[in-house]
Amino acid sequence: LERRSMGPPFHDGGADSGHVTSIKEGFGFIRPLNDRRTGGGGLFFHFSALVGRDVPVEGDEVSFSVELDRRSGREAAKAVTILPRGTLPAPARAVTVRAVVQRELRGARGGDGYGGRLAVLKGDGPPAEGDAAAGDGGQDDDEQTEVVSFDARGCERPSALHVGDLVECRLMSVAGSRQRAASRVKLIEAGGGLPRQSGRVASLKDKFGFLRTAGKAADLFFHLSEAPREGGPLRVGDDVSFCVVLDPRSRKDAATKLRRLPAGSVALEQLGEARQ
């Protein structure tokens, strides 16, 4: 193992310090007080790195040293020592929010994915320091505002997250800056954060149909499994809202998550029906 400094020491002897953010079977994660590079996921440590027999619990204050693990190529905490309560300043309060995956993790192999971005939805939790206060008039609660980073260490299932997915996460302030980072990222709904569009059912087949939409010369495909279950079967002429995704089989745009709209919600001129 190769020794690597993470910044100015907080204790005599050059040890770093922080709070335990999560404990798993045989390992855990620490949020250092003076580190900006964990992306919200925390610094990994194995129980073999503990000093003494006591196993820390979430929220414990600890000191540690940092070394580069040659197997993973990532920094890990060593000589993890539990400190008396009150030794460190209280950690910044975490808030739970909803967000949309704006950029997927890069180089995601196991727990090594990095560089992900989430767009926090307006109205979910207090704003970061220096941001405009949430709740300013005239904007939808699902508007995306603050953008935060995340990595695989802060996700329940990193490989399951894709652009447009709606997730729940915890936000923590990044030491020494006004930025925040996400941890405990959990998928709520695949594609649930995509913007919604509106259109009209143009035709129906056995297991699929097509929508007439604004700004598109060709009608948009949808599978009937994406149709709303309430209100009976869809009919030609029904107005609907939907999200657009890339169909993995055809590699073409397709409508998903259809919702029924009141009749007349979509104006004929929006759909360009005069072209018929």
Side-chain angles (χ1 to χ4, degrees):
L1 291 175
E2 178 183 327
R3 184 61 194 265
R4 196 168 177 183
S5 173
M6 290 185 69
F10 279 82
H11 297 277
D12 293 338
D16 287 292
S17 58
H19 296 84
V20 176
T21 57
S22 63
I23 291 292
K24 311 293 184 181
E25 186 174 349
F27 64 95
F29 293 93
I30 298 167
R31 183 171 185 83
L33 288 181
N34 63 331
D35 182 54
R36 301 185 184 186
R37 294 175 292 173
T38 60
L43 184 68
F44 172 88
F45 71 93
H46 192 272
F47 283 3
S48 62
L50 296 173
V51 174
R53 297 183 178 181
D54 292 337
V55 176
V57 297
E58 185 173 327
D60 273 353
E61 302 164 27
V62 294
S63 66
F64 54 90
S65 59
V66 180
E67 296 175 339
L68 191 64
D69 190 318
R70 291 179 178 174
R71 290 177 298 178
S72 67
R74 304 194 71 163
E75 291 174 329
K78 301 295 179 183
V80 178
T81 303
I82 300 175
L83 301 173
R85 293 271 181 178
T87 302
L88 304 180
R93 185 173 65 92
V95 293
T96 300
V97 300
R98 295 177 307 146
V100 178
V101 178
Q102 189 179 77
R103 186 171 73 189
E104 297 175 14
L105 293 171
R106 301 175 179 178
R109 289 183 291 180
D112 293 334
Y114 66 94
R117 288 182 182 171
L118 302 176
V120 180
L121 297 182
K122 182 179 176 64
D124 274 43
E129 182 182 352
D131 286 353
D136 292 343
Q139 293 181 326
D140 191 285
D141 284 344
D142 282 346
E143 181 184 353
Q144 300 170 14
T145 54
E146 181 184 359
V147 176
V148 298
S149 63
F150 75 101
D151 66 19
R153 293 172 295 180
C155 302
E156 285 191 356
R157 296 177 57 202
S159 61
L161 298 180
H162 303 284
V163 172
D165 287 349
L166 182 65
V167 301
E168 181 183 87
C169 64
R170 295 184 70 184
L171 294 185
M172 292 286 291
S173 297
V174 176
S177 78
R178 292 183 175 182
Q179 297 178 342
R180 295 193 286 186
S183 64
R184 300 189 184 182
V185 181
K186 178 175 65 175
L187 179 66
I188 297 176
E189 183 182 359
L194 294 170
R196 298 196 69 82
Q197 304 179 33
S198 58
R200 181 165 295 167
V201 178
S203 62
L204 291 168
K205 308 296 182 183
D206 185 27
K207 295 183 179 180
F208 61 92
F210 290 91
L211 302 177
R212 180 142 302 160
T213 63
K216 289 186 178 291
D219 291 340
L220 187 65
F221 170 89
F222 71 93
H223 195 276
L224 285 180
S225 61
E226 299 292 336
R229 296 182 180 180
E230 70 284 352
L234 282 179
R235 299 177 182 274
V236 172
D238 283 351
D239 290 345
V240 294
S241 68
F242 56 90
C243 299
V244 177
V245 297
L246 190 67
D247 187 285
R249 291 174 295 183
S250 67
R251 308 301 299 173
K252 296 180 179 179
D253 285 346
T256 185
K257 304 182 186 303
L258 274 66
R259 296 178 188 170
R260 202 182 301 270
L261 294 176
S265 297
V266 181
L268 295 179
E269 55 269 20
Q270 287 181 304
L271 302 180
E273 292 197 356
R275 71 176 184 260
Q276 290 184 334

